[in-house]
Amino acid sequence: MLASNDMENCSGERLRVIGVVGGLGPFAGLDLVRKILRHTAARKDQEHLPLMLCSFPGKVPERPTFLLGQSSENPGDAIGDIMCRLARGGAEVIGMPCNTAHSPGILDRALEKLYRTSPEIRFISIIRSAVEHIRALQPAGGPVGLMGTEATLRTGLYQNALAEAGLEAVIPDGEDCELMQKAISDTRFGIKAFSDPVTQEARTALLSVAQRLIAEKHVSLLLLGCTEIPLAVTETLFQDIPVVDATDALARELVRASCPERLA
Amino acid sequence: MLASNDMENCSGERLRVIGVVGGLGPFAGLDLVRKILRHTAARKDQEHLPLMLCSFPGKVPERPTFLLGQSSENPGDAIGDIMCRLARGGAEVIGMPCNTAHSPGILDRALEKLYRTSPEIRFISIIRSAVEHIRALQPAGGPVGLMGTEATLRTGLYQNALAEAGLEAVIPDGEDCELMQKAISDTRFGIKAFSDPVTQEARTALLSVAQRLIAEKHVSLLLLGCTEIPLAVTETLFQDIPVVDATDALARELVRASCPERLA
């Protein structure tokens, strides 16, 4: 058996096993793994980091439904089970590519389960990863255009974290929030239904929201605060404005937590 | 805890957990997961299949080095450990996106470890998946242009499997075999060193080999028999000749083994 603490690469570096809570949605989990590989300095197989992905989408109820009070079934229970499964498999640092599931009402329940059996595991927050990345990118601050699901925006998850870092979040107008939500979850054209490739309609809708955040609200940075959005919007610069992808920021922090020398 | 046998989706279908032996190389593991998701009929998160990916590249020695007699360390031991880890995590059907590692000298050792503790697990062979797909595609037969690593070609893995199915394998000339191997593993431009995106040089080299298989050896189908190649060659048709991607064939068979009703 591979014990969790015997991982090292060919150079004898100590490598912590990365665990990814996938399935929220499945393509967002895949996207995070891809970005972990892209951020790893490696020229052959053996130089890549140890990682596990658990994607059990059928087990995890819709996050927005719970957060918006339409269901009492807390997805944090199933997410906690997946985290425990990763920990039993040897994961030492865990990331979850779903911003909405970082709402305290869900995440606290999941982490409570995880820490009860595996208190030594390090959970890397996508919210903190993204906010720290923005602070490093724009030390002077400036309004951050926040894109995400209605549930994420309503819980104030990013607004609070940005405010604590001295940054101001600017959210789209009501109609644009609805348009973003449709681009993510509409079963006719949304990213969750059509992920690979996404529909032109979803991409156009998201870019139009971004364009209005820039033109009408004068944001100096765009934050893709939903892990479905970077499946459609892959730009790192849009109309000369930097675009921060929260999944990408999380990938970097997971590589750093596994082995800082391997961060590319 | 999620038991392995309580997986069902929202329609109450029985879903077997798919386990992926990743890391051989890491981007090939990612590619298989992507193709599993693409072959799943799903319009929302909860309709996707349960799956686990274990990518522990630092633990698995180079496969060709062992097969070509340059090392006595059998990678099958580490691969067997990873399979056992997947089985303990709940995997019920296992796939491994690395053709070279399907050589009996490696695979038999790995499966022996797996079946000793988990005889009920179903291992889905990428070789058999690809050959069955070719048979369905070309019931009348015709010469199959085989592309892969030198180790895979030398072990006769595909040649034997194709012959058993009444199909003829045609392999590239010696210089072209070297060129394919470089396109895969050269540290300056090969796919293992530059996976995402691949280099134009690797892609051009592979397409030139494919072109000569068609023009000079008159193959009626191209088989991408190394899981690195489809990272560079994504065509399903090349110069009017069908291209069969072994990773894609394996993805389909894994979806079928998990839940046939979900195969898209």
Side-chain angles (χ1 to χ4, degrees):
Chain A
M1 170 190 171
L2 291 169
S4 63
N5 57 356
D6 70 348
M7 283 288 173
E8 47 183 52
N9 70 0
C10 40
S11 323
E13 292 163 322
R14 167 81 170 87
L15 307 176
R16 285 178 184 80
V17 179
I18 299 171
V20 173
V21 180
L24 320 168
F27 280 96
L30 186 74
D31 192 43
L32 176 63
V33 174
R34 180 183 176 195
K35 285 166 181 168
I36 291 169
L37 299 182
R38 291 188 75 148
H39 280 300
T40 305
R43 282 286 170 268
K44 55 180 196 165
D45 291 356
Q46 286 77 8
E47 291 172 353
H48 277 280
L49 301 173
L51 74 84
M52 299 176 67
L53 164 72
C54 275
S55 187
F56 295 108
K59 284 284 157 195
V60 187
E62 291 289 350
R63 285 66 69 191
T65 323
F66 171 74
L67 289 172
L68 302 175
Q70 294 151 11
S71 160
S72 61
E73 192 183 1
N74 191 336
D77 285 318
I79 292 170
D81 288 337
I82 295 168
M83 288 178 173
C84 290
R85 190 188 279 242
L86 285 166
R88 279 195 309 273
E92 299 169 272
V93 293
I94 289 183
M96 173 169 63
C98 175
N99 293 272
T100 309
H102 280 67
S103 305
I106 295 175
L107 182 61
D108 290 354
R109 176 76 69 96
L111 289 179
E112 193 190 314
K113 268 198 169 175
L114 173 66
Y115 291 142
R116 206 181 300 146
T117 52
S118 305
E120 73 290 357
I121 304 286
R122 190 168 159 213
F123 177 76
I124 311 281
S125 157
I126 195 172
I127 311 294
R128 195 167 302 173
S129 301
V131 170
E132 281 172 13
H133 186 63
I134 292 171
R135 257 227 301 220
L137 211 62
Q138 294 206 324
V144 173
L146 175 57
M147 299 177 70
T149 61
E150 290 186 303
T152 300
L153 299 185
R154 281 216 219 166
T155 55
L157 200 52
Y158 268 115
Q159 294 94 316
N160 297 339
L162 287 164
E164 277 173 32
L167 293 160
E168 181 202 354
V170 175
I171 65 169
D173 289 333
E175 275 183 29
D176 271 352
C177 287
E178 279 175 40
L179 187 58
M180 276 195 299
Q181 186 62 55
K182 276 191 185 167
I184 293 164
S185 57
D186 191 287
T187 52
R188 194 178 49 78
F189 74 96
I191 302 170
K192 282 194 182 281
F194 301 92
S195 306
D196 188 18
V198 299
T199 65
Q200 189 58 47
E201 194 172 349
R203 178 170 153 81
T204 303
L206 292 167
L207 291 181
S208 73
V209 173
Q211 197 274 328
R212 283 187 288 277
L213 278 169
I214 295 168
E216 297 170 12
K217 301 190 183 260
H218 313 292
V219 301
S220 60
L221 185 144
L222 288 163
L223 169 55
L224 310 184
C226 166
T227 54
E228 305 295 327
I229 297 178
L231 303 179
V233 178
T234 52
E235 285 87 346
T236 53
L237 211 61
F238 179 66
Q239 298 184 346
D240 294 330
I241 297 290
V243 180
V244 168
D245 163 5
T247 307
D248 198 69
L250 175 59
R252 288 180 61 88
E253 292 313 311
L254 287 168
V255 171
R256 201 194 305 276
S258 171
C259 181
E261 294 79 16
R262 294 275 99 202
L263 184 60
Chain B
M1 170 188 172
L2 291 169
S4 64
N5 58 356
D6 70 348
M7 285 288 173
E8 48 182 53
N9 70 0
C10 42
S11 322
E13 292 163 321
R14 167 83 169 87
L15 307 176
R16 287 179 183 79
V17 179
I18 299 171
V20 174
V21 179
L24 319 168
F27 280 96
L30 186 74
D31 192 43
L32 176 62
V33 174
R34 180 184 176 196
K35 285 165 180 166
I36 291 169
L37 298 182
R38 292 187 76 151
H39 281 299
T40 305
R43 283 287 170 265
K44 55 180 196 166
D45 291 355
Q46 286 77 8
E47 290 172 354
H48 277 279
L49 301 172
L51 74 84
M52 300 176 68
L53 164 72
C54 275
S55 187
F56 295 107
K59 284 283 156 198
V60 187
E62 290 288 351
R63 284 67 68 194
T65 324
F66 171 74
L67 289 173
L68 302 176
Q70 295 150 12
S71 161
S72 62
E73 194 183 2
N74 191 334
D77 285 318
I79 293 171
D81 288 337
I82 294 168
M83 288 178 172
C84 291
R85 191 188 277 242
L86 285 167
R88 280 195 308 274
E92 298 167 273
V93 294
I94 288 183
M96 173 168 64
C98 174
N99 293 272
T100 309
H102 280 67
S103 303
I106 296 176
L107 182 62
D108 290 355
R109 176 78 67 98
L111 289 179
E112 193 189 313
K113 266 197 169 173
L114 173 67
Y115 291 143
R116 206 180 301 145
T117 52
S118 305
E120 74 289 359
I121 304 286
R122 192 171 158 210
F123 177 76
I124 311 281
S125 157
I126 194 170
I127 312 293
R128 194 167 302 174
S129 300
V131 171
E132 281 173 11
H133 186 63
I134 292 171
R135 257 225 304 215
L137 211 62
Q138 293 206 324
V144 173
L146 175 57
M147 299 177 70
T149 61
E150 290 185 304
T152 300
L153 298 186
R154 281 215 219 163
T155 55
L157 199 52
Y158 268 115
Q159 293 93 316
N160 297 339
L162 286 165
E164 278 174 32
L167 293 161
E168 180 203 353
V170 175
I171 66 171
D173 288 333
E175 276 183 28
D176 272 352
C177 287
E178 280 174 39
L179 186 59
M180 275 196 300
Q181 185 62 56
K182 277 192 184 166
I184 292 163
S185 57
D186 191 288
T187 53
R188 193 178 49 78
F189 73 95
I191 303 171
K192 282 195 181 280
F194 300 91
S195 307
D196 189 18
V198 299
T199 65
Q200 189 58 47
E201 195 173 349
R203 178 169 155 79
T204 303
L206 292 167
L207 291 182
S208 74
V209 174
Q211 198 273 328
R212 282 186 289 277
L213 279 168
I214 296 168
E216 297 169 12
K217 301 190 181 261
H218 314 291
V219 302
S220 62
L221 185 144
L222 288 164
L223 168 56
L224 310 184
C226 165
T227 54
E228 305 295 327
I229 298 178
L231 304 178
V233 178
T234 53
E235 284 86 346
T236 53
L237 211 62
F238 179 66
Q239 298 184 344
D240 293 332
I241 297 290
V243 180
V244 168
D245 164 5
T247 307
D248 198 70
L250 175 59
R252 289 180 60 88
E253 291 314 311
L254 286 168
V255 170
R256 201 194 306 273
S258 170
C259 181
E261 294 78 16
R262 295 275 99 202
L263 184 60

